[in-house]
């Protein structure tokens, strides 16, 4: 391959590093109304009265809206394919506010200063209600987060608002109880992962304006232009045909922008006033009124024989969706599907879960999407099993891991067409120096160096659901335009899709211009989430380009008065092998502009009944100070099987970034509330994420397999890379101290206090 599997520079690299105006706020009209929200100070309350008269008199204020002014159409903000599994439980503004930060009023004005002044002048009288802040007490609690009668669930996910249940599901295979009873060794424990913020550099932001045809145009930093259009349509009660959603460059998303957090508010203002508007979340708002990772308690039981053969797993998950349902039903099952399936030795498995409402900020999509929490629990339990069996954790995994050609019962019964997990594990152990360093070494002066290991898997789409489309057309100068609906969040999908097109069309990647995503111009695409872009949209690009090659050859046949089967296309020209005559691509493109009846354009839509999992192993070396509990990451080694690597540089950056986020989840990040539901760490001063000083040396390699259903043999890489740090670091801390932590984050204070109690 000439273009695929090459380290091609990102399409937008120079625009970004030179500071070109490419982001939402850069492109917003200069006369936009500034839109801000008055937010609830209470975790659970009813609005008795709200007085806005004085606020409306502030010079420069355009409008102030309350729950009485907005449509009463319940919707979900979750960016999912219709019918969404997440219940419809939200209004643009509601009289019943359900968490500290829930919107109470929308204020639009000419400047930020006048809007801030007006916000201070709104007087609200609340009836404060008892709140459910502990998600362990939410199920069947007499305090209902959603007592309303117009709450509705479109899909059967076990949701029941009268029980504070957003979802309740189960799956399994085999007689788990019988197999467990026959096992010689079992380990069990409950693992608690707290909410984590995506903490992307660019906060949520949207601008809106009306065009000359009376249509609402929405320019937003979103991963899901088509889903966003539907959600705005549902919320405002206007036809989708009246809405256009476009995506500029995105300054990071990590799943946060798979939820329509900000879009409906300026959209409502512009629809009502006819004037352009924009809403830019502050960092505090992004921390306190967004959709972080779901807090989960994962109870795991693993049954094995004394020789290390793992035979059964039993998992129960309690997930906290918060005040609203965003992604609650869809994240939780992945805690089981994508953790147990790594072990091909299982004879029986069982998974049960409850997703509950509570009076804290609603949770949503975050890289790893539920698999991260489940893998922390399962991999920690397997490491505990290894200790109980007095077996090397690498050897235990080698004995049980899934291999190519095996059926993965917990993973929808799929068969692994491509799997290099065994090679990933072996290479990772070699890279970290496992045999020499396991389990720990005393460095003197109270410091210990130790290693830990974990495996992970993810998916490459939502099978039978996700749709990716691509349009590719030949221009008159012999260049191509590739039009997609997938959203590049900084991941480089514009670049890798252009590489695939260039490989198919045998041209340089610079001859491919990429346009997307725009609901008016792009073919339908579910959006950039579920690790689906490379696998699903990439296959659409491959098919569209091959189809366009056929059309180019047919056009050339007419120009050369030759038979199509005698022609060859080398990316530059089409040649008649019998006569030696040829026409260039530019000549073909030019000819198609005059007297032509067949457009040199191809559109292909692709979906897949499969979601081939990428696999990964990760190992960490830490130095731990037993006096202070401080953990320093020295080295992190990872080997990833993502099928064919489309762009090694971009894939490596994806892996390194995900590993750093996983380090943050393991050691630092923690969304905390006080006894009244107020968030305690609402800025980066309190909410700590890793810096360059905290990540140590990260080394990533690829153990490629070939996925026959993927474009050029590719699978996904975007999400899997966040999953191994938490269990690997917890394992290394155990090897250094003998303390087994089952709750994240594992802070220095926890370690120091644990060591004192020994």
């Amino acid at each position: 391959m000439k273009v695929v599997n090459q380290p091609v520079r990102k399409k937008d690299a120079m625009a970004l590093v030179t500071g070109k105006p490419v982001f939402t706020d850069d492109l917003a009209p200069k006369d936009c109304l500034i839109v801000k929200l008055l937010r609830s100070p209470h975790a659970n309350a009813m609005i008795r009265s709200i007085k806005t008269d004085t606020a409306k008199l502030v010079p420069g204020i355009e409008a102030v809206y309350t729950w009485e002014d907005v449509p009463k159409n319940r919707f979900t903000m979750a960016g999912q394919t219709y019918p969404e599994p997440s219940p419809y439980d939200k209004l643009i503004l509601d009289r019943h506010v359900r968490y500290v930060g829930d919107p109470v009023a929308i204020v639009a004005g000419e400047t930020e200063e006048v809007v801030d002044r007006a916000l201070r002048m709104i007087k609200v009288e609340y009836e404060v209600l008892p709140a459910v802040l502990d998600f362990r007490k939410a199920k069947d609690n007499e305090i209902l987060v959603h007592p309303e009668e117009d709450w509705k669930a479109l899909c059967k996910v076990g949701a029941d608002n009268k029980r504070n249940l957003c979802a309740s599901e189960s799956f399994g295979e085999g007689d788990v109880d019988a197999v467990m009873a026959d096992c010689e060794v079992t380990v069990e424990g409950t693992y608690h992962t707290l909410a984590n913020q995506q903490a992307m550099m660019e906060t949520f932001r949207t601008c809106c304006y009306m065009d000359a045809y009376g249509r609402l145009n929405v320019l937003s930093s979103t991963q899901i232009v088509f889903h966003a259009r539907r959600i705005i349509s549902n919320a405002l009660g206007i036809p989708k045909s009246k809405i256009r959603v476009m995506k500029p460059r995105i300054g990071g998303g990590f799943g946060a922008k798979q939820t329509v957090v900000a879009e409906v508010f300026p959209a409502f203002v512009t629809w009502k006033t006819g004037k352009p508007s924009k809403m830019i979340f502050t960092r505090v708002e992004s921390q306190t009124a967004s959709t972080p990772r779901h807090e989960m308690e994962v109870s795991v039981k693993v049954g094995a024989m004394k020789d290390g053969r793992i035979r059964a797993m039993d998992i129960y998950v309690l997930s906290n969706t918060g005040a609203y349902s965003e992604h609650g039903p869809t994240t939780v099952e992945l805690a089981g599907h994508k953790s147990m399936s790594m072990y091909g030795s299982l004879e029986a498995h069982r998974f049960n879960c409850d997703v509950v409402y509570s009076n804290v900020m609603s949770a949503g999509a975050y890289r790893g999407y539920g698999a991260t929490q489940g893998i922390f629990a399962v991999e920690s339990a397997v490491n505990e099993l290894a200790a109980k069996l007095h077996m090397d954790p690498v050897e235990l995994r080698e004995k049980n891991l899934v291999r190519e050609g095996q059926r993965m019962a917990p993973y929808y019964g799929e068969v692994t067409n491509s799997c290099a997990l065994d090679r990933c594990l072996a290479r990772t152990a070699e890279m970290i120096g496992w045999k020499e360093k396991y389990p720990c070494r005393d460095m003197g002066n109270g410091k210990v160096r130790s290693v830990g290991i974990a495996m992970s898997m993810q998916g490459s789409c939502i099978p039978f659901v996700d749709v990716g489309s691509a349009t590719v057309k030949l221009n008159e100068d012999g260049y191509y335009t590739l039009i997609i609906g997938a959203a590049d969040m900084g991941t480089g999908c514009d670049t890798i899709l252009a590489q695939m097109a260039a490989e198919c069309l045998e041209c340089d990647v610079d001859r491919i211009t990429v346009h997307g995503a725009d609901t008016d111009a792009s073919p339908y695409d579910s959006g950039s989430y579920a690790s689906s872009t490379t696998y699903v949209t990439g296959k659409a690009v491959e098919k569209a380009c091959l189809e366009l090659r056929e059309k180019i050859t047919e056009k050339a046949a007419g120009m050369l008065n030759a038979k199509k089967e005698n022609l060859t296309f080398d990316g530059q020209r089409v040649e008649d092998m019998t006569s030696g005559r040829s026409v260039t691509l530019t000549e073909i493109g030019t000819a198609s502009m005059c007297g032509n009846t067949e457009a040199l354009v191809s559109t292909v839509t692709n979906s897949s009944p499969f979601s081939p999992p990428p696999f990964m192993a990760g190992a960490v070396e830490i130095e731990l100070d037993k006096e202070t509990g401080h953990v320093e990451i020295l080295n992190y080694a990872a080997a990833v099987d993502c099928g064919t690597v489309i762009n090694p540089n971009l894939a490596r950056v994806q892996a390194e970034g995900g590993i750093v986020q996983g380090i943050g989840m393991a050691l630092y990040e923690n969304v905390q509330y006080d006894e009244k539901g107020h968030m305690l760490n609402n800025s980066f001063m309190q909410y700590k994420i890793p810096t360059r000083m905290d990540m140590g040396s990260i080394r990533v390699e690829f153990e490629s397999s070939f996925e026959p259903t993927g474009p050029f043999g590719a699978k996904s890489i975007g999400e899997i890379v966040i999953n191994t740090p938490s269990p690997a670091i917890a394992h290394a801390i155990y090897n250094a101290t003998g303390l087994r932590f089952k709750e994240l984050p594992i802070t220095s204070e926890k370690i120091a206090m644990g060591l004192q109690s020994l």
Side-chain angles (χ1 to χ4, degrees):
M1 292 182 285
K2 295 181 179 179
V3 188
V4 165
N5 199 229
Q6 301 303 313
V8 174
R9 188 173 70 183
K10 284 183 65 180
K11 281 280 187 181
D12 58 357
M14 294 310 297
L16 295 176
V17 300
T18 56
K20 299 295 183 184
V22 296
F23 298 102
T24 300
D25 200 24
D26 299 328
L27 304 175
K30 300 305 178 186
D31 58 344
C32 278
L33 294 172
I34 304 301
V35 178
K36 291 194 175 188
L37 302 177
L38 179 69
R39 297 183 180 277
S40 169
H42 305 294
N44 195 21
M46 293 293 292
I47 299 172
R48 284 181 175 173
S49 66
I50 180 166
K51 296 181 180 181
T52 62
D53 294 347
T54 306
K56 290 177 180 178
L57 294 175
V58 174
I61 288 297
E62 177 71 25
V64 180
Y65 302 108
T66 71
W67 66 274
E68 296 179 294
D69 304 309
V70 300
K72 302 300 186 285
N73 311 308
R74 292 214 176 263
F75 61 97
T76 177
M77 295 199 304
Q80 302 167 331
T81 298
Y82 179 87
E84 304 96 323
S86 300
Y88 281 24
D89 55 13
K90 193 172 186 66
L91 296 175
I92 298 174
L93 296 174
D94 201 334
R95 188 178 185 183
H96 186 175
V97 288
R98 297 173 174 83
Y99 73 96
V100 176
D102 216 354
V104 172
I106 305 170
V107 179
E110 294 175 357
T111 67
E112 187 171 0
E113 290 75 17
V114 302
V115 171
D116 287 340
R117 183 181 174 194
L119 285 168
R120 292 193 296 268
M121 294 182 175
I122 298 173
K123 304 301 180 185
V124 187
E125 183 182 356
Y126 296 95
E127 178 188 351
V128 180
L129 305 172
V132 182
L133 298 176
D134 185 347
F135 77 118
R136 299 173 187 87
K137 300 176 181 178
K139 183 180 176 181
D140 295 321
N141 197 302
E142 62 180 14
I143 302 169
L144 295 180
V145 179
H146 283 279
E148 64 271 12
E149 295 301 323
D150 58 346
W151 176 98
K152 63 180 178 180
L154 276 62
C155 299
K156 294 181 179 179
V157 293
D160 186 347
N161 63 317
K162 302 303 183 184
R163 300 183 61 200
N164 280 338
L165 277 177
C166 174
S168 183
E169 304 174 64
S170 62
F171 63 83
E173 186 173 294
D175 191 335
V176 171
D177 294 328
V179 176
M180 283 285 187
D182 193 48
C183 287
E184 296 172 327
V185 182
T186 61
V187 296
E188 57 184 313
T190 297
Y191 298 83
H192 184 203
T193 62
L194 303 184
N196 307 127
Q197 283 288 359
Q198 296 90 346
M200 60 281 173
M201 290 180 67
E202 182 197 33
T203 62
F204 301 96
R205 50 196 61 199
T206 301
C207 77
C208 303
Y209 59 91
M210 303 298 294
D211 64 21
Y213 305 99
R215 299 177 73 229
L216 176 64
N217 284 244
V218 180
L219 182 70
S220 180
S221 181
T222 179
Q223 302 171 218
I224 45 160
V225 291
F226 286 97
H227 292 336
R229 181 179 64 174
R230 182 187 67 249
I231 294 166
I232 294 168
S233 170
N234 289 344
L236 271 60
I238 62 177
K240 297 183 194 68
S241 60
K242 291 286 187 181
I243 304 169
R244 177 188 184 188
V245 180
M246 299 159 284
K247 174 209 73 74
R249 293 289 93 186
I250 300 179
F254 309 117
K257 294 170 183 175
Q258 194 194 334
T259 306
V260 180
V261 173
E263 287 84 344
V264 296
F265 304 108
F268 179 73
V269 168
T270 295
W271 186 253
K272 292 287 285 186
T273 66
K275 297 182 178 182
S277 68
K278 70 176 180 180
M279 186 173 188
I280 309 293
F281 269 43
T282 64
R283 180 57 62 183
V284 169
E285 285 181 301
S286 290
Q287 288 291 112
T288 60
S290 57
T291 51
R293 187 186 299 282
H294 288 76
E295 179 183 16
M296 290 188 187
E297 269 196 351
V298 185
S299 298
V300 181
K301 185 175 182 180
V302 180
M305 306 305 284
K306 289 181 179 178
D307 64 359
R309 182 164 51 94
I310 298 174
R311 299 179 60 195
M313 285 192 188
D314 192 2
I315 294 178
Y316 171 74
V317 177
L318 180 64
S319 178
N320 184 10
T321 196
Y324 298 98
S325 66
E326 280 81 45
H327 301 276
T330 45
T331 50
V332 66
E333 283 193 348
L334 273 60
H337 287 307
K338 296 178 180 178
S339 59
M340 296 187 287
S341 303
M342 294 186 292
Y343 293 92
S345 59
L346 293 183
E347 299 170 29
H349 69 275
R350 180 169 58 204
F351 179 88
N352 292 283
C353 66
D354 290 312
V355 184
V356 294
Y357 286 111
S358 67
N359 291 116
V360 298
M361 171 176 48
S362 55
Y366 185 4
R367 192 180 206 164
Y369 204 77
T372 311
Q373 297 94 309
I375 287 170
F376 168 64
V378 167
E379 287 301 276
S380 294
V382 170
N383 283 328
E384 184 175 351
L385 176 64
K388 196 168 185 177
L389 293 170
H390 304 289
M391 183 179 290
D392 187 307
V394 173
E395 294 178 9
L396 178 62
R397 287 178 170 84
E398 286 174 341
K399 184 183 288 285
N400 293 283
L401 58 78
V402 68
R403 297 177 186 272
E404 192 162 293
Q406 278 190 294
R407 175 179 176 269
M408 297 176 289
Y411 192 66
Y412 320 103
E414 276 197 29
V415 174
T416 55
N417 292 319
S418 56
C419 178
L421 181 56
D422 53 346
R423 287 188 278 126
C424 287
L425 182 65
R427 182 59 185 141
T428 298
E430 181 182 354
M431 290 163 65
I432 205 70
W434 185 265
K435 291 182 179 178
E436 299 80 24
K437 298 175 181 177
Y438 172 77
C440 67
R441 296 164 293 156
D442 192 329
M443 306 304 292
N445 200 28
K447 294 185 177 181
V448 180
R449 290 189 177 183
S450 62
V451 289
I453 199 159
M455 306 186 306
S456 71
M457 62 173 276
Q458 199 73 37
S460 294
C461 68
I462 305 173
F464 297 101
V465 173
D466 284 344
V467 171
S469 301
T471 296
V472 60
K473 63 178 181 177
L474 175 66
N475 301 314
E476 59 184 298
D477 58 356
Y479 281 61
Y480 300 94
T481 299
L482 175 63
I483 307 169
I484 57 173
D488 193 328
M489 297 175 284
T491 52
C493 81
D494 286 2
T495 306
I496 65 167
L497 294 176
Q499 285 182 255
M500 294 181 195
E503 189 71 44
C504 292
L505 296 166
E506 297 185 68
C507 68
D508 190 87
V509 72
D510 290 335
R511 297 180 74 90
I512 311 290
T513 299
V514 183
H515 177 78
D518 180 336
T519 56
D520 273 10
S522 302
Y524 178 80
D525 195 291
S526 304
S528 296
Y529 62 90
S531 300
S532 63
T533 302
T534 298
Y535 180 71
V536 177
T537 306
K539 196 66 176 178
V541 170
E542 181 185 37
K543 291 178 179 179
C545 290
L546 294 177
E547 188 176 282
L548 180 59
R549 282 184 67 109
E550 292 296 308
K551 291 186 177 183
I552 290 170
T553 306
E554 288 174 3
K555 181 65 179 177
M559 294 172 66
L560 294 169
N561 195 24
K563 293 182 179 180
K564 181 183 173 184
E565 54 267 26
N566 293 333
L567 303 181
T568 61
F569 176 44
D570 65 1
Q572 302 298 317
R573 64 183 62 245
V574 177
E575 182 177 355
D576 182 356
M577 300 301 292
T578 58
S579 67
R581 295 167 56 237
S582 65
V583 287
T584 67
L585 198 59
T586 301
E587 290 171 334
I588 296 169
T590 301
S592 69
M593 301 294 119
C594 181
N596 183 42
T597 59
E598 182 66 33
L600 295 185
V601 60
S602 177
T603 299
V604 170
T605 294
N606 180 58
S607 190
S608 176
F610 310 106
S611 180
F615 297 94
M616 175 184 179
V620 68
E621 180 183 11
I622 67 169
E623 182 171 276
L624 187 145
D625 188 324
K626 288 192 171 183
E627 184 174 344
T628 65
H630 175 69
V631 173
E632 181 179 352
I633 305 294
L634 300 177
N635 296 291
Y636 202 99
V640 185
D641 164 23
C642 58
T644 298
V645 181
I646 303 298
N647 187 313
N649 282 1
L650 296 183
R652 183 167 287 104
V653 169
Q654 283 281 291
E656 291 171 351
I659 288 167
V660 173
Q661 285 181 312
I663 291 170
M665 179 179 178
L667 296 177
Y668 309 113
E669 299 182 46
N670 181 9
V671 172
Q672 297 172 294
Y673 297 91
D674 67 15
E675 68 280 358
K676 293 186 177 181
H678 294 87
M679 186 177 292
L680 298 175
N681 37 14
N682 61 9
S683 77
F684 287 159
M685 291 296 291
Q686 295 85 25
Y687 186 83
K688 299 299 184 182
I689 59 176
T691 69
R692 183 63 186 87
M693 301 298 291
D694 303 310
M695 53 194 282
S697 173
I698 297 176
R699 183 180 173 192
V700 176
E701 293 187 5
F702 299 98
E703 291 290 337
S704 296
S705 60
F706 184 87
E707 174 51 49
T709 65
F712 302 98
K715 299 185 287 190
S716 76
I717 192 172
E719 291 187 276
I720 185 175
V721 289
I722 200 172
N723 294 334
T724 58
S726 292
I729 291 171
H731 186 213
I733 291 171
Y734 168 77
N735 288 332
T737 65
L739 298 170
R740 199 173 293 282
F741 290 95
K742 298 182 179 181
E743 180 179 76
L744 301 179
I746 310 171
T747 63
S748 299
E749 292 85 351
K750 290 179 183 178
I751 296 170
M753 292 176 69
L755 287 169
Q756 287 181 14
S757 66
L758 290 178

